[in-house]
Amino acid sequence: MSEPRKLEVLRAIVEDYVHSREPVGSKALVERHHLGVSSATIRNDMAVLEEEGLIAAPHTSAGRIPTDKGYRLFVDRISQVKPLSAAERRAIHSLLEGPDDLDDILERTVRLLSQLTNQVAVVQYPHSNRALVRHVEFVLLAPKQVLVVLIADTGSVGQKVIEAGSDVSNEALMALRSRFLGSIAGTQLALLPQVLPSVVALCPPDLRGLAQHLAHGLQALSDTSREERIVMAGTANLARSNVDFPLSIGPVLEALEEQVVMLRLLSDMGDDPRGVTVSIGRENPYDGLAEASVVATGYGSGAKVGILGPTRMDYPTTMAAVRAVARYLSRILGG
Amino acid sequence: MSEPRKLEVLRAIVEDYVHSREPVGSKALVERHHLGVSSATIRNDMAVLEEEGLIAAPHTSAGRIPTDKGYRLFVDRISQVKPLSAAERRAIHSLLEGPDDLDDILERTVRLLSQLTNQVAVVQYPHSNRALVRHVEFVLLAPKQVLVVLIADTGSVGQKVIEAGSDVSNEALMALRSRFLGSIAGTQLALLPQVLPSVVALCPPDLRGLAQHLAHGLQALSDTSREERIVMAGTANLARSNVDFPLSIGPVLEALEEQVVMLRLLSDMGDDPRGVTVSIGRENPYDGLAEASVVATGYGSGAKVGILGPTRMDYPTTMAAVRAVARYLSRILGG
DNA sequence: TGTTAGCACTTGGGCATGTTGAGTGCTAAG
DNA sequence: CTTAGCACTCAACATGCCCAAGTGCTAACA
């Protein structure tokens, strides 16, 4: 039995199954693909594939479906990324045009990606490791409440309300504002934890308590604005793509709602900067996603974009879309 | 046949059906509720109720289920709001404690509400009609790009990137900043459209073009920050509560994704400031929600909080939860 | 040694049929 | 107006049957 043909058979099974949603048998396979052999031969090959755990039969007299392991092999060795259609390229181009808010861009990106793939799209806020402090603002909301705003040169704006221990005067606040601004404007967000203490230390003693609070706020902002948020779209696709094929959607929705879970999921995925990473079925660290796959890749300075869908998914096309969108995103945010 | 008993029968049907998810028959009704009459009598009553369109039978020999109209009558005339359990009160108290970001508060509110009700919870950003301009910031991102930040005294922060027609100098920007700040600080956001043009008009001619752009940005922010966003949580409840009862969840997810749809839905609901408004099944303006109900109420200065779930829902409890959460929210944001 | 044809065997799905029980509507009597 | 009684309906379930798809195996073949 020839090794190349075995792979070819696996490829055919995956493709047919993804397309038809039904277990595929030896005869149908021979008919649809012109592998120059008979169905009997295919049956032998399939027996081998099954022994190796790459495909499985739902019941005795049914066709075979790929296992997680089968998909894995398919993705790693067999599939070749399909080029996007012209229409799709155009969609990416036009929808991501018009420079705007970071929020806006990400929002449109996930929408686009979810439409392209018919899956749930997810994008992580860009890492702002390299982002610089552009501006700092303190706003007195109540006698003891201050709104701290941190603006990065990437266009991302973070805000947080902090409680000062005692009453705060507007003058003190303004004084501290220029002091902080003078010291940290232009600094990398990532360096704030190291820089801030010295700023506080240099403050006049009567302001030091307040300065301490403000510094805490800023530091918290530099943390959270870094990467700890995600945006998603297309959850309705979950229901649609599973009309008569029950990926139990409850656990998946739960996972999607837990930003922590999604963030972990994304960052756990290797970040081969060239390619797209795929995590299939039970490979996922989260049990609720045992019947789901994640296709993701990095963009910009390392944050992730990707999609989540049923294991039975058109990997080549999906991977192409994810990759293309990631590239555009890098380009837009990089400039 | 007595009118009060008829209503009592309807009440019993609604309650049993909500609880059991199964059509309820005359015999079972008599057994579970001690209405001092026989099943035959109940049957007669049910025939009347059916004639009036308040209940319906899925097929000839099945029990009855309430129609939208039946639920309507139930909600309007029969149900009495159940008091929350002590544990629930405590949950509301503790979870909404700790003054923080507006975003944070809303986020926690929807989580709480979705847990209390086991439905999808939705909250609209508070109306900031009465909100005042606290601060304005312009940040030069690129030679022709300016980030406009508008901070209201409610703690809400809006941001938007605008394109200036030509290169912008930092000095010009700072000059305009103090000019705008001087003119509009303390103004109601709602009045910005009227105030801004005069500010622009008073600018020196060479800055007027840029000022115009900035004014546009600010105005847009005052619009969007007003009410045009919603936060939600608990979408996974959709799948859970419908394990063996198919509210087709696809269209609902679609509706939830379209902020526009949800906003319209919420604002279309009467805002009786005292009570909770309920929109049942086909009463909803959006077709995808034909099998869903919305329970909502206003809070603060008129924005909405509410939940969305299957028509077959425990209205009294849900209404109590929505109302309680809305009250707490008003209190927190009002202070 | 790998491929193929042929064949017996397995099994889920579709279909027709029968049975059951919950639930109804109606009627006549209280 | 209420009630007991009864005939009737019909979804849900069960049973049995057949069919088609698909398999694994064996023996012949190149």
Side-chain angles (χ1 to χ4, degrees), chain A residues 134 137 139-140 234-235 257, chain B residues 134-135 137 139-140 234-235 257:
Chain A
R134 165 72 67 161
E137 198 62 46
V139 181
L140 195 56
T235 44
E257 279 216 341
Chain B
R134 164 73 65 161
H135 197 78
E137 198 61 45
V139 181
L140 195 55
T235 44
E257 280 215 340

Side-chain angles (χ1 to χ4, degrees), chain A residues 103 106-107 110 121-125 229-233 259:
Chain A
D103 289 339
L106 296 185
E107 184 69 36
V110 279
V122 179
V123 61
Q124 192 177 4
Y125 265 69
R229 277 165 68 204
I230 56 177
V231 188
M232 73 181 114
Q259 299 229 345

Side-chain angles (χ1 to χ4, degrees), chain B residues 52 77 92 145 150 176 196 207 232 237 304 315:
Chain B
E52 294 175 1
R77 299 196 34 202
I92 296 181
Q145 262 187 4
L150 177 64
L176 286 175
L196 285 172
L207 295 181
M232 74 182 112
N237 290 329
K304 301 282 171 63
Y315 290 96

Side-chain angles (χ1 to χ4, degrees), chain B residues 1 5 37-38 41 43-44 59-61:
Chain B
M1 185 226 2
R5 194 188 59 219
V37 294
S38 82
T41 310
R43 279 203 287 286
N44 291 331
H59 54 85
T60 319
S61 79

